């Protein structure tokens, strides 16, 4: 922080900014911890996201709201003066993703007009598309241009949302040609009135909202009572499948004993030479810093439904499995009569499907799944 740079930052912070334009990066989370590419934590921005986009959302899994592009939107919204415009080209998941319901509600309250130009190109949602042929950036993720207009605080009119979409199979070349030749006032926008669930598109006309929900995170948190299932869980995410799963009980036992021995030796000596022969992640490194000691227990090896037609042995352990969610409460190895319905969650692009199993379920059995137990257990292990 040189004197010149500090002075520049001070001048910029004192300026009134009325227009913010950009193409921020989009990366909700790294798929593999070995990529060593986790998003940086921005304390103030992430707190604002939690107090706004997360607070007003109803989705079960909201980690994607900390995507880098939503951080840029949150920062830009905070930084914009009383009257101003934000224009970004980003991931288009904010348009209809269930997890972004709170985001859509907040920006509708914070801005006067919202214009969305959906360029499509989401290869994961439509396998008929090709990133190099149909996506303007030749990537797998769908893309959208959006313009957020903020008028002065005296404006009490309801936010207007305008939406237009390019044809699904239009090539990227045609999309870019269209954008180069077309002015904003020439676009054929659809004026959208969000429904009570803050949906912009894919709105339905039915009585679902009057029915008893199957699951509800408010019920799970003890803040409400109206749901069929009080407790539910996502499938297990180990972050080191190759270490904690195996078809062979003997192979898994050997691997886990080795994993624990390396962990324990590193606990004694942080510079242990064989430290990186096992797979580390941020969580396991934190357990090491907290001096958590581990030992092998054969009782923690359980049967798991890894894929719809594949069972494997799993070493179920909250320290060596990245996320066990509620499984340590809904699974009891002394009660093998328990059963679970596992079904595709909202965040998955698979067609709806569900399975019943009597095993611990991995996250991708049915697609970013939710698991509903027949029984739960108290701290004594008694069936409820």
């Amino acid at each position: 922080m040189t004197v010149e740079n500090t002075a520049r930052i001070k001048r910029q912070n004192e300026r009134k900014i009325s227009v913010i334009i950009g193409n921020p990066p989009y990366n909700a989370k790294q798929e593999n911890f070995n990529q060593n590419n986790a998003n940086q934590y921005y304390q103030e921005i992430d707190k604002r996201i939690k107090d706004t986009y997360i607070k007003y959302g109803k989705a079960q899994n909201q980690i994607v709201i900390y995507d880098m592009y939503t951080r840029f939107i949150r920062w830009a919204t905070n930084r914009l003066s009383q009257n101003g415009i934000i224009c970004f080209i980003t991931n288009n998941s904010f348009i209809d993703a269930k997890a972004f319901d709170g985001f859509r509600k907040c920006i509708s309250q914070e801005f006067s007009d919202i214009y969305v130009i959906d360029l499509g190109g989401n290869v994961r949602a439509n396998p008929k598309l090709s990133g190099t042929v149909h996506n303007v950036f030749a990537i797998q993720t769908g893309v959208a241009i959006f313009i957020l207009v903020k008028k002065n605080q005296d404006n009490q009119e309801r936010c207007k949302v305008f939406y237009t979409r390019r044809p699904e199979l239009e090539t990227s070349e045609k999309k870019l040609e269209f954008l180069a030749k077309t002015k904003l006032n020439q676009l054929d926008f659809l004026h959208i009135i969000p429904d009570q669930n803050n949906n912009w598109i894919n709105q339905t006309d039915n009585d679902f909202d009057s029915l008893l929900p199957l699951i509800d995170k408010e019920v799970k948190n003890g803040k409400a009572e109206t749901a069929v299932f009080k407790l539910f869980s996502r499938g297990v995410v180990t972050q080191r499948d190759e270490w904690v799963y195996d078809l062979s009980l003997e192979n898994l036992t050997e691997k886990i004993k080795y994993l624990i021995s390396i962990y324990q030796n590193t606990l004694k000596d942080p510079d242990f030479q064989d430290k990186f022969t096992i797979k580390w992640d941020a969580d396991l490194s934190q357990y090491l810093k907290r001096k958590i000691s581990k030992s092998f227990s054969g009782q923690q090896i359980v049967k798991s439904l890894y894929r719809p037609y594949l069972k494997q042995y799993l070493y179920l352990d909250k320290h060596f499995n990245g996320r066990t969610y509620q499984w340590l409460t809904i699974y009891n190895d002394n009660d093998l009569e328990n059963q679970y319905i596992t079904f595709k969650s909202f965040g998955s692009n698979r067609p709806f499907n569900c399975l019943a199993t009597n095993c611990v379920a991995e996250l991708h059995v049915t697609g970013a799944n939710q698991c509903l137990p027949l029984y739960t257990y108290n701290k004594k292990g008694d069936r409820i």
Side-chain angles (χ1 to χ4, degrees):
M1 298 295 287
T2 64
V3 173
E4 292 82 1
N5 197 36
T6 303
R8 179 192 63 79
I9 292 171
K10 186 174 185 295
R11 286 197 306 274
Q12 180 175 304
N13 286 340
E14 290 172 350
R15 288 286 183 92
K16 180 191 291 185
I17 294 180
S18 297
V19 179
I20 300 174
I21 302 174
N23 171 217
Y26 12 114
N27 174 31
K29 58 185 184 300
Q30 58 181 344
E31 298 297 328
N32 186 320
F33 276 85
N34 283 344
Q35 295 172 355
N36 194 27
N37 189 35
N39 285 338
Q40 189 172 337
Y41 179 67
Y42 296 89
Q43 187 173 356
E44 288 302 316
I45 295 297
D46 289 354
K47 184 178 184 302
R48 285 289 295 145
I49 287 176
K50 184 177 180 181
D51 293 340
T52 54
Y53 305 156
I54 299 290
K55 179 180 178 180
Y56 294 107
K58 297 180 180 178
Q60 303 300 323
N61 180 27
Q62 296 177 298
I63 189 172
V64 293
I65 306 302
Y66 292 100
D67 193 305
M68 287 305 298
Y69 86 87
T70 50
R71 283 169 162 154
F72 270 90
I73 295 168
R74 185 65 269 172
W75 170 84
T77 303
N78 294 350
R79 187 63 182 84
L80 206 62
S81 65
Q82 196 173 29
N83 294 285
I85 296 173
I86 297 171
C87 181
F88 279 169
I89 179 166
T90 71
N91 183 329
N92 68 358
S93 59
F94 70 91
I95 297 172
D96 61 351
K98 175 71 175 177
F100 279 81
D101 58 342
F103 170 85
R104 290 189 291 269
K105 179 176 182 178
C106 283
I107 65 171
S108 296
Q109 294 173 343
E110 294 171 332
F111 292 91
S112 310
D113 301 274
I114 299 171
Y115 298 86
V116 180
I117 306 165
D118 188 354
L119 300 176
N122 187 342
V123 178
R124 295 186 180 96
N126 186 351
K128 292 181 180 179
L129 299 180
S130 164
T132 53
V133 175
H134 300 102
N135 190 292
V136 291
F137 289 139
I139 58 176
Q140 302 287 301
T141 306
V143 178
I145 300 170
F146 64 91
I147 301 168
L148 307 176
V149 181
K150 181 190 282 189
K151 297 177 183 175
N152 63 58
Q153 293 177 352
D154 296 331
N155 179 42
Q156 299 297 319
E157 291 184 14
R158 182 174 181 175
C159 174
K160 298 182 179 68
V161 181
F162 300 96
Y163 174 81
T164 186
R165 178 180 171 85
R166 298 308 301 158
E168 180 75 353
L169 297 177
E170 186 176 57
T171 65
S172 58
E173 185 179 353
K174 289 289 185 182
K175 289 173 184 173
L176 293 172
E177 182 182 348
F178 172 82
L179 292 172
K181 294 181 178 179
T182 309
K183 294 182 178 179
L184 186 68
N185 60 9
Q186 296 174 321
L187 291 174
D188 186 17
F189 281 107
L190 175 67
H191 181 196
I192 289 174
I193 299 176
D195 65 18
Q196 61 183 13
N197 292 317
N198 301 299
N199 293 314
W200 288 354
I201 63 175
N202 302 325
Q203 296 182 21
T204 56
D205 182 16
N206 55 47
D207 63 351
F208 280 5
D209 292 331
S210 66
L211 303 177
L212 187 67
L214 191 66
I215 58 176
D216 189 312
K217 67 177 183 180
E218 295 295 312
V219 173
K220 185 164 73 170
N221 295 335
K223 297 178 180 178
E225 291 287 336
T226 52
V228 178
F229 287 83
K230 264 192 174 182
L231 196 61
F232 55 95
S233 176
R234 303 191 82 203
V236 171
V237 181
T238 74
Q239 296 169 184
R240 53 181 59 79
D241 285 9
E242 66 273 32
W243 284 99
V244 298
Y245 280 104
D246 207 290
L247 290 167
S248 165
L249 178 62
E250 292 75 16
N251 286 348
L252 180 59
T253 300
E254 189 176 331
K255 286 193 297 188
I256 293 298
K257 285 182 176 179
Y258 179 78
L259 174 69
I260 292 172
S261 70
I262 297 298
Y263 175 86
Q264 287 297 111
N265 281 317
T266 308
L267 186 61
K268 296 173 185 175
D269 178 12
D271 297 320
F272 180 58
Q273 61 179 2
D274 292 332
K275 174 181 179 179
F276 292 107
T277 59
I278 64 171
K279 185 174 181 180
W280 294 85
D281 62 20
D283 291 330
L284 195 58
S285 298
Q286 281 297 319
Y287 300 143
L288 197 71
K289 289 180 180 178
R290 288 160 52 189
K291 306 295 183 184
I292 294 175
S293 183
K294 300 296 294 183
S295 60
F296 175 79
S297 170
Q299 290 184 325
Q300 291 179 245
I301 297 180
V302 302
K303 275 290 188 75
S304 172
L305 186 64
Y306 189 70
R307 292 294 180 267
Y309 301 101
L310 176 64
K311 288 183 180 180
Q312 293 199 69
Y313 289 102
L314 163 69
Y315 192 76
L316 185 61
D317 184 288
K318 67 178 181 180
H319 296 119
F320 291 133
N321 303 156
R323 297 290 181 271
T324 54
Y325 299 108
Q326 303 293 326
W327 278 99
L328 298 179
T329 306
I330 67 175
Y331 178 82
N332 187 326
D333 56 6
N334 294 319
D335 186 3
L336 300 182
E337 293 182 10
N338 204 356
Q339 298 173 37
Y340 314 91
I341 298 173
T342 168
F343 66 95
K344 174 195 105 78
S345 190
F346 294 112
S348 173
N349 56 21
R350 295 187 194 179
F352 178 80
N353 64 101
C354 61
L355 287 171
T357 180
N358 60 355
C359 301
V360 176
E362 198 270 345
L363 178 68
H364 297 293
V365 170
T366 48
N369 57 347
Q370 295 287 357
C371 306
L372 313 175
L374 181 59
Y375 306 119
T376 59
Y377 305 91
N378 60 24
K379 292 182 179 180
K380 296 180 181 178
D382 299 327
R383 179 194 287 181
I384 302 171

